[in-house]
Amino acid sequence: MTVVKTINEVRQFVKEARLKGMTIGFVPTMGFLHEGHLSLMREAKAQTDYVVVSIFVNPTQFGPTEDLATYPRDLPRDQMLCESVGVDLIFAPEVDEMYPAGHSTIVDCEGPITKQLCGASRPTHFKGVTSVVAKLFNITLPDKAFFGQKDAQQVAVIEKMVKELNFDVEIVPCPIVREEDGLAMSSRNSYLDAEARRQALVLSQSLNAAKASIDAGETRVSELIALIRETIQQAPMAEIDYVQIVDATTLLAIDELNDDTLIALAVKFGKTRLIDNLRIRRR
Ligand code: PAF
């Protein structure tokens, strides 16, 4: 496994792999890796020949009052984990390699897809994500890029960007990876103290309650949202940011479950904001 910090080096290694006839898989991350990230890398390894992982805490996707400064970082540990799943190349640039002085070009996916759900409370987040992911795609030129379905809105926005800007890359969404007790894995889980960690289980419990209700025949969005909110509110520390049920592709609100629905929620425990979701596909 090779670790590089510059765009030129990535280009060189990727070019050499291509000359050998290899396909390129790409897993973008902000580091502090967990089993969720490793599952993306394993999938990339299974589907492509040469796997590139980026580790970059992207400043442009954090709002002014968010956790950029405290976002957990541990590059030596991340390197070991990448090596353990057979990653070929790590790209771990400094901020000025990605955003040299005077950098001012952004990629912004406009419209409701980035304005609601997480976009409502993080208004500049998605343009930071699309800008950095567009740059990373141009740097790594992957055949396939692997993203976790835990960030369902991010996946929908990136799929739209790829389609509309004609990037020649296939987006591969991968399933949410959960702790044994159901909490969706996230680097931000490390912020939770023991009590908040215990109470955070209401997120997956509320989605399970919604799933059980749907399996029993419920299709009304208002009823399902009420059930989810009620379950979450059983945790005294939980402060709901949103609970929404939307069309999984457009992310527009719906009144009744449709063929492909996304139940998405964001809840704060103290300063830590956690997200989770459930995709419901029906015939
Ligand atoms: O999902 C993330 O970790 C980030 O949003 C990404 C895709 C690496 C862009 O910085």
Side-chain angles (χ1 to χ4, degrees):
M1 187 182 74
T2 313
V3 184
V4 298
K5 287 189 162 295
T6 67
I7 293 165
N8 280 344
E9 287 169 298
V10 180
R11 292 216 156 114
Q12 206 174 315
F13 279 100
V14 168
K15 199 168 171 184
E16 278 167 23
R18 281 218 179 278
L19 283 173
K20 290 182 195 150
M22 293 170 138
T23 54
I24 312 297
F26 176 50
V27 182
T29 82
M30 298 210 299
F32 210 68
L33 304 175
H34 50 67
E35 193 50 43
H37 297 111
L38 299 185
S39 72
L40 303 180
M41 295 172 200
R42 288 194 197 97
E43 195 55 40
K45 204 69 200 157
Q47 293 196 26
T48 59
D49 304 318
Y50 188 83
V51 175
V52 183
V53 170
S54 63
I55 298 179
F56 179 61
V57 181
N58 172 38
T60 65
Q61 69 189 74
F62 289 79
T65 59
E66 292 181 0
D67 56 342
L68 173 62
T70 54
Y71 195 85
R73 293 160 166 90
D74 190 345
L75 188 56
R77 180 175 161 275
D78 288 347
Q79 283 179 211
M80 272 170 36
L81 290 171
C82 286
E83 181 118 54
S84 75
V85 293
V87 166
D88 297 286
L89 182 70
I90 295 181
F91 175 42
E94 299 295 336
V95 171
D96 59 3
E97 179 70 6
M98 292 297 284
Y99 300 112
H103 183 286
S104 65
T105 304
I106 56 160
V107 175
D108 192 3
C109 183
E110 294 185 330
I113 197 164
T114 53
K115 297 291 170 284
Q116 46 187 3
L117 304 174
C118 289
S121 49
R122 305 185 74 191
T124 57
H125 174 66
F126 287 108
K127 70 178 174 196
V129 171
T130 43
S131 297
V132 80
V133 171
K135 283 169 72 69
L136 290 167
F137 284 172
N138 283 331
I139 293 164
T140 58
L141 297 177
D143 297 282
K144 296 187 181 194
F146 299 78
F147 289 85
Q149 191 59 38
K150 183 178 148 269
D151 296 302
Q153 186 172 14
Q154 172 169 279
V155 174
V157 170
I158 287 169
E159 281 175 336
K160 193 170 195 292
M161 174 190 83
V162 162
K163 189 168 162 214
E164 294 177 0
L165 293 184
N166 312 100
F167 279 99
D168 193 10
V169 56
E170 180 187 337
I171 302 302
V172 184
C174 299
I176 298 178
V177 178
R178 296 181 181 279
E179 302 285 356
E180 254 175 44
D181 60 8
L183 183 69
M185 289 198 185
S186 163
S187 305
R188 289 190 168 99
N189 290 351
S190 64
Y191 295 150
L192 300 170
D193 65 23
E195 184 53 24
R197 169 70 183 75
R198 197 184 63 74
Q199 293 194 25
L201 288 183
V202 291
L203 268 69
S204 55
Q205 285 165 354
S206 71
L207 292 172
N208 291 341
K211 174 81 172 64
S213 174
I214 292 165
D215 289 346
E218 184 59 81
T219 59
R220 291 166 299 173
V221 161
S222 55
E223 294 299 310
L224 291 164
I225 289 181
L227 173 64
I228 293 169
R229 294 188 79 96
E230 207 175 282
T231 311
I232 294 172
Q233 278 156 354
Q234 283 164 16
M237 291 174 76
E239 192 192 317
I240 296 176
D241 177 359
Y242 67 77
V243 174
Q244 284 190 39
I245 301 188
V246 295
D247 176 90
T249 308
T250 63
L251 305 189
L252 292 175
I254 50 176
D255 294 330
E256 290 272 331
L257 293 192
N258 63 12
D259 293 354
D260 192 1
T261 300
L262 180 72
I263 306 180
L265 45 90
V267 180
K268 280 176 92 174
F269 291 85
K271 284 189 177 156
T272 308
R273 183 175 172 281
L274 301 179
I275 57 173
D276 202 347
N277 69 76
L278 177 67
R279 186 103 171 232
I280 305 280
R281 290 190 173 90
R282 303 177 334 139
R283 288 180 181 264

